[in-house]
Amino acid sequence: MGSLDRIWLGLAAIGGLLAVAMGAFGAHGMEDPQARQWLATGANYLMTHSLAVFAAAFVAAGGARLARLAPVLFLTGAAVFSGSLFAMAMGAPRILGAVTPVGGLLFMGGWIVLAVAALSRPPKT
């Protein structure tokens, strides 16, 4: 495993930590129902895509080099999607929600790349 792969895995683990923290903050520290929902949604997508980085590492380790692109898409998508939701929950202007779908598109791109990589893996001999 290369140093870049370790960095992606480390960032994914930090993403998992942040997902738990933001989800807990939303559940226990927010009164506003909309802010709670934004935190819950952001935490859910951040956790899902942090774990997806680990799946991408597994697929890449199996010989599908294209899977190494998925963490970039997943973690950038998490920064944009979850980050914009977290920021709005903390009081940022709602216009920031206009960039949230960009994060969703990055997530979808990551899943497409991971699917193609997994399906095109060289067979074990």
Side-chain angles (χ1 to χ4, degrees):
M1 179 178 299
S3 62
L4 186 58
D5 296 324
R6 289 193 328 234
I7 290 169
W8 290 127
L9 292 173
L11 289 173
I14 292 168
L17 171 68
L18 185 59
V20 172
M22 296 306 276
F25 180 64
H28 304 290
M30 275 288 166
E31 302 263 337
D32 177 33
Q34 181 62 65
R36 280 182 160 195
Q37 184 60 47
W38 283 330
L39 288 170
T41 300
N44 181 31
Y45 278 79
L46 177 55
M47 180 61 77
T48 300
H49 290 89
S50 292
L51 293 172
V53 170
F54 286 89
F58 176 76
V59 174
R65 293 176 50 93
L66 181 61
R68 296 182 76 208
L69 178 59
V72 176
L73 295 167
F74 288 147
L75 293 175
T76 304
V80 174
F81 184 91
S82 297
S84 63
L85 293 177
F86 295 159
M88 289 189 307
M90 303 298 173
R94 288 185 177 218
I95 190 67
L96 189 59
V99 302
T100 307
V102 173
L105 291 172
L106 291 166
F107 287 152
M108 288 187 275
W111 286 110
I112 290 168
V113 165
L114 190 55
V116 169
L119 293 170
S120 63
R121 273 175 55 179
K124 298 242 183 208
T125 56

